[in-house]
Amino acid sequence: MRLLYTGLLYLLLPLALLRLYWRGRRDAGHRQRWRERLGFVPTLSPGGLWVHAVSVGETRAALPLIRALLDRYPDRPLLVTTTTLTGSRQVREALGERVQHVYAPYDLPGATRRFLRRVRPSLAVIMETELWPNLLRQCVTAGIPMLLANARLSERSARGYGRIRGLTAAMLRDVTLIAAQADADAARFRALGAPRVEVTGNLKYDLALPTDLPERGRQLRWDWLGDKRPVWIAASTHAGEDDTILDALARLRVRWPTLLLLLVPRHPERFDSVAVLCRQRGFSVIRRSERNACMPDTAVFLGDSMGELLLLYAAADLAFVGGSLVATGGHNVLEPALLGLPVLFGPHMFNFSEAGERLLAAEAAWQVADADELAAAVDRLLADPELRRTAGQNGQAVVERHRGALTALLGSIEMLLEMPPCHPAPGDKAD
């Protein structure tokens, strides 16, 4: 099964490189450092720590852990890898030169072997559910322990992995320890053959906000948005959601004519098309990148910058979190909750089901299915400041109550660093 998988990847490699070139026509960053994806990375000092986070969401979730590792192991080099360009930019913006960054290699035996020879980490910390058979096997062969941190596995993903049960079981045996977010995630990993699983909690609850963030949010609102007008944010939206959100905005502005929508698409390549869509729908739009203040008739403030989502949350009265009106699985609802905002999201929350359910149970969030329900929920919250305040306090309490994953993960990392080198499991032939 692994040979078949690897052969397919080699066949797809030219298409992957062509895709980087094609996306580079819009953003040259996609073409830069492409050799790193084949394992041609700078040679680093041995014995460092390696944290892999796929994109922006995983990187932001990993920040408390990365900062704690920098403080706890100041003498160990710390490498952070990402898969996406946006993830790379998030690393640089949040951590600067405190860590080293390269792109993770494609999951080819030669690329992963080359990458590990040059990086030579003492521990690999892989965020959430990044399961790559060849990379995991090369780590075992090199004697590098692996922690799958903040691991989650939805029912949908578990069914997919179950269709390739042999390959999945071999991958999970290669992982030294899986630190699952919740009991349900742990049970699904075990059902697929993972031998070493513990529940440490969701690292996203351990997010630490900058102390000046609320004040900066108020300042943004005063200087750029219009302090006296109601403001709601639709964050991390995907294709297929923006029309629904704009439908809701049209309904809401009948009753709230000064209402401002902060619209933040998830992916930068959609910024231009979403701006065009807003104007086609008859809304006056200001883009964050234009650095112009909103006018009284501005209906949409398009968040087309990177790394400012928390700031935009801090400037809003309530939040809708996208990726949930379409079958993407939702995005992090804990960030706006920690900022004291009432939270709205759609029916597709399988990637954040536990967090969503906790917020709903605490009356800190509302689930909506379409433009009518979204408009009705926003209208109710705008009309009732006390409801907004109570919901925001409830959400903050949920986040505070479930902190602790960071401490548990640091304990697991300390234990793994003290382990003797790992070796391939009996009967598993290394590539």
Side-chain angles (χ1 to χ4, degrees):
M1 179 69 77
R2 189 192 302 273
L3 290 175
L4 179 62
Y5 162 82
T6 301
L8 181 60
L9 283 189
Y10 275 117
L11 290 175
L12 293 176
L13 179 60
L15 294 179
L17 296 175
L18 182 61
R19 183 171 181 266
L20 286 179
Y21 177 82
W22 181 261
R23 297 183 73 186
R25 298 178 63 186
R26 183 168 294 180
D27 188 331
H30 290 288
R31 297 178 182 174
Q32 296 167 357
R33 297 161 52 198
W34 63 270
R35 284 170 52 84
E36 292 178 4
R37 300 178 186 273
L38 298 177
F40 292 101
V41 299
T43 300
L44 306 181
S45 301
L49 304 175
W50 166 34
V51 177
H52 175 59
V54 184
S55 191
V56 174
E58 294 83 3
T59 301
R60 291 218 310 252
L63 287 177
L65 177 61
I66 293 170
R67 290 176 175 134
L69 291 174
L70 287 168
D71 291 340
R72 181 169 289 201
Y73 302 103
D75 297 329
R76 289 182 182 266
L78 204 157
L79 171 70
V80 180
T81 59
T82 61
T83 302
T84 69
L85 174 62
T86 52
S88 171
R89 289 171 174 168
Q90 179 72 46
V91 170
R92 281 292 165 235
E93 179 173 331
L95 299 166
E97 299 303 318
R98 298 183 69 194
V99 302
Q100 296 163 308
H101 172 270
V102 297
Y103 286 112
Y106 290 139
D107 195 39
L108 300 166
T112 54
R113 189 163 46 243
R114 185 180 304 114
F115 169 83
L116 292 174
R117 277 203 308 263
R118 296 180 179 211
V119 172
R120 297 175 289 175
S122 58
L123 174 68
V125 180
I126 301 172
M127 295 299 297
E128 301 198 0
T129 319
E130 273 292 281
L131 297 173
W132 295 104
N134 289 320
L135 179 60
L136 297 178
R137 176 42 50 93
Q138 292 299 331
C139 283
V140 172
T141 302
I144 300 167
M146 288 167 287
L147 172 65
L148 193 62
N150 213 44
R152 59 182 171 87
L153 191 64
S154 67
E155 290 184 15
R156 178 180 177 181
S157 295
R159 286 195 299 271
Y161 282 116
R163 296 189 187 101
I164 50 171
R165 184 169 294 273
L167 183 60
T168 298
M171 283 193 298
L172 295 177
R173 287 195 301 271
D174 282 344
V175 180
T176 314
L177 178 64
I178 296 176
Q181 292 184 12
D183 291 333
D185 299 299
R188 293 181 191 118
F189 279 114
R190 292 187 183 108
L192 289 171
R196 297 168 295 276
V197 186
E198 63 181 33
V199 179
T200 55
N202 189 340
L203 190 58
K204 289 183 171 69
Y205 288 100
D206 288 87
L207 173 70
L209 297 177
T211 55
D212 65 342
L213 183 62
E215 176 56 34
R216 288 194 291 121
R218 285 190 290 270
Q219 195 64 44
L220 174 67
R221 189 159 176 162
W222 178 269
D223 292 342
W224 300 94
L225 307 181
D227 187 52
K228 304 275 184 202
R229 63 195 304 185
V231 177
W232 68 297
I233 182 171
S236 298
T237 64
H238 288 248
E241 294 185 304
D242 304 292
D243 266 314
T244 301
I245 291 162
L246 294 176
D247 285 343
L249 178 64
R251 291 165 171 76
L252 288 161
R253 279 177 64 88
V254 173
R255 181 177 180 189
W256 306 90
T258 63
L259 178 62
L260 179 68
L261 168 66
L262 308 185
L263 182 56
V264 188
R266 179 72 174 181
H267 299 114
E269 57 266 28
R270 297 186 58 245
F271 290 160
D272 291 341
S273 62
V274 172
V276 170
L277 174 64
C278 292
R279 295 189 176 102
Q280 287 175 342
R281 296 291 301 273
F283 295 112
S284 174
V285 181
I286 290 289
R287 299 178 63 153
R288 173 65 168 161
S289 60
E290 295 171 347
R291 296 291 169 178
N292 292 325
C294 290
M295 305 299 291
D297 66 336
T298 302
V300 178
F301 184 86
L302 184 67
D304 62 348
S305 57
M306 295 301 298
E308 288 195 313
L309 182 57
L310 289 177
L311 176 63
L312 294 176
Y313 276 139
D317 296 309
L318 58 101
F320 168 81
V321 180
S324 57
L325 288 172
V326 293
T328 299
H331 291 296
N332 191 353
V333 291
L334 299 174
E335 291 172 336
L338 184 56
L339 278 162
L341 299 184
V343 181
L344 308 173
F345 48 79
H348 303 287
M349 285 290 290
F350 51 82
N351 287 333
F352 291 86
S353 57
E354 183 189 56
E357 288 166 4
R358 284 174 173 168
L359 293 177
L360 290 171
E363 297 184 346
W366 286 261
Q367 196 160 30
V368 298
D370 52 33
D372 289 336
E373 291 187 7
L374 177 58
V378 173
D379 178 68
R380 180 186 177 196
L381 288 163
L382 290 176
D384 193 339
E386 182 61 22
L387 178 61
R388 292 202 308 272
R389 185 187 67 81
T390 301
Q393 290 176 343
N394 292 344
Q396 287 176 321
V398 168
V399 176
E400 294 295 338
R401 191 161 56 246
H402 291 93
R403 290 183 184 275
L406 177 59
T407 300
L409 283 172
L410 289 173
S412 297
I413 287 170
E414 184 175 356
M415 177 268 294
L416 292 175
L417 287 173
E418 294 173 353
M419 286 178 55
C422 57
H423 300 284
D428 283 346
K429 182 182 177 183
D431 290 318

